Amino acid sequence: MLSADTVRIGPEEKIHLALVVWGLPREERTDERNAKRVASNANFRFTWKLYDEKQKLIGEMPGEGGPEGRIDWPERFVKFFPPLVLLGYYDVDKLPPEAKTAEISFSISARSQTGGDIMAGYTWKLDVPAAWRLGAGETWRGAQESIRPEEEIDPKKKKR
């Protein structure tokens, strides 16, 4: 994760997460007009777990798919840019006001040109900045309710 800040997209603010991934295998093709096309073939999955001030799970946002604004071949624009870098970003809806900490997990998988699997996982634990939270009267869009075991929601229940 290169940076995280809020940006205005149309009428609403979102959390903008800039992403840099280095080392993904790429596929290069030349089309009939002799134009070179480069693409990184990788699967991206992510999960945001949101906790309140007592570290009780209050929400989870799973998702998958590559980053937006994706640049698979940045060295074509900058002569000495490191090879095999992918640039992109995710724009995420703001979080509920009661979210105090977050655990953001990314897993990236790809297949090398020799047929081996490449797996990488990253987890960030952080305090949720006030700018990432919804204001008074705003609702968390797209939220769905599900039933979870009590020990998954509240870590103190496991210890008893």
Side-chain angles (χ1 to χ4, degrees):
M1 207 56 75
L2 180 64
S3 65
D5 206 352
T6 54
V7 295
R8 182 157 298 283
I9 299 175
E12 56 189 37
E13 276 194 327
K14 294 200 177 234
I15 304 166
H16 182 80
L17 302 171
L19 182 73
V20 176
V21 182
W22 192 4
L24 291 175
R26 299 193 293 199
E27 185 178 319
E28 296 182 15
R29 293 186 182 175
T30 305
D31 65 15
E32 64 278 352
R33 295 179 301 178
N34 215 24
K36 184 177 175 181
R37 306 273 184 221
V38 176
S40 298
N41 295 319
N43 296 314
F44 293 79
R45 295 180 194 271
F46 50 89
T47 302
W48 288 54
K49 289 187 177 185
L50 308 173
Y51 300 93
D52 66 8
E53 68 279 343
K54 295 179 182 173
Q55 292 305 299
K56 187 175 175 183
L57 180 67
I58 58 166
E60 188 174 52
M61 298 186 312
E64 61 183 88
E68 301 173 52
R70 187 169 159 166
I71 301 172
D72 292 87
W73 186 24
E75 66 266 29
R76 77 178 166 167
F77 302 116
V78 179
K79 187 175 184 179
F80 295 107
F81 202 85
L84 299 177
V85 171
L86 178 139
L87 304 172
Y89 62 88
Y90 288 96
D91 286 329
V92 180
D93 289 335
K94 290 178 91 175
L95 308 176
E98 58 271 9
K100 299 298 181 211
T101 59
E103 180 179 296
I104 306 169
S105 299
F106 271 88
S107 67
I108 304 168
S109 61
R111 182 163 300 271
S112 73
Q113 292 176 345
T114 59
D117 289 331
I118 299 169
M119 304 289 288
Y122 307 95
T123 300
W124 292 273
K125 294 180 182 180
L126 59 127
D127 292 332
V128 175
W132 290 15
R133 289 187 231 137
L134 293 167
E138 295 179 302
T139 57
W140 196 28
R141 296 178 321 158
Q144 299 175 354
E145 288 191 23
S146 65
I147 297 173
R148 297 282 183 88
E150 188 67 30
E151 57 272 3
E152 185 178 343
I153 295 170
D154 190 353
K156 292 176 187 156
K157 299 287 182 181
K158 289 182 186 178
K159 295 176 185 174
R160 292 183 183 169

